[in-house]
Amino acid sequence: QVQLVESGGGLVQPGGSLRLSCVASGSFVSIYNMAWYRQAPGKQRDLVARITRGGVTNYKDSVKGRFTISRDNAKNTVYLQMDTPEPGYTAVYYCNADIRNSEYRIIGYWGQGTQVTVSS
């Protein structure tokens, strides 16, 4: 059983900042790529940022220089730092991770999501 649990979401004002966290737990062998997605009401789920186990990052063009993805492999945790948020960032943010589980199969796992609301 593998679980991803996000935290850190909530209400933030424009000009503020917040950091999302996602922790993997359960029975698994290795975690490979980790990523953050977001889905606004009525919109499709969209990749925001991705990071390899070695720390190579990839960002959605619109968030480059504004979001920072990072990870702590020892803690099985991935973070998303959101600076200078805008109302358009309002969405449910989902953690995703490619994990080799206890059956030695690499599967993409999803967290339940955490709501981020940017509003004055």
Side-chain angles (χ1 to χ4, degrees), residues 9-110:
L11 178 65
V12 62
Q13 293 182 314
S17 65
L18 75 165
R19 188 178 73 164
L20 307 182
S21 300
C22 172
V23 180
S25 63
S27 181
F28 57 85
V29 178
S30 300
I31 303 175
Y32 300 99
N33 293 338
M34 304 186 82
W36 288 96
Y37 290 72
R38 68 185 178 191
Q39 187 168 22
K43 302 290 183 64
Q44 294 184 342
R45 190 171 299 186
D46 187 33
L47 175 66
V48 175
R50 180 171 51 223
I51 184 169
T52 71
R53 185 163 59 176
V56 178
T57 59
N58 186 39
Y59 294 93
K60 177 182 176 69
D61 286 344
S62 63
V63 307
K64 288 180 179 177
R66 309 189 67 161
F67 290 7
T68 302
I69 188 170
S70 61
R71 64 191 290 169
D72 186 334
N73 291 336
K75 297 180 178 179
N76 299 320
T77 301
V78 63
Y79 306 95
L80 186 68
Q81 179 71 38
M82 304 172 65
D83 295 320
T84 61
E86 300 176 354
Y89 296 173
T90 296
V92 177
Y93 284 72
Y94 295 91
C95 178
N96 173 266
D98 296 325
I99 296 176
R100 188 180 298 277
N101 63 22
S102 60
E103 297 180 337
Y104 295 92
R105 294 191 299 153
I106 300 177
I107 297 176
Y109 292 89
W110 293 91

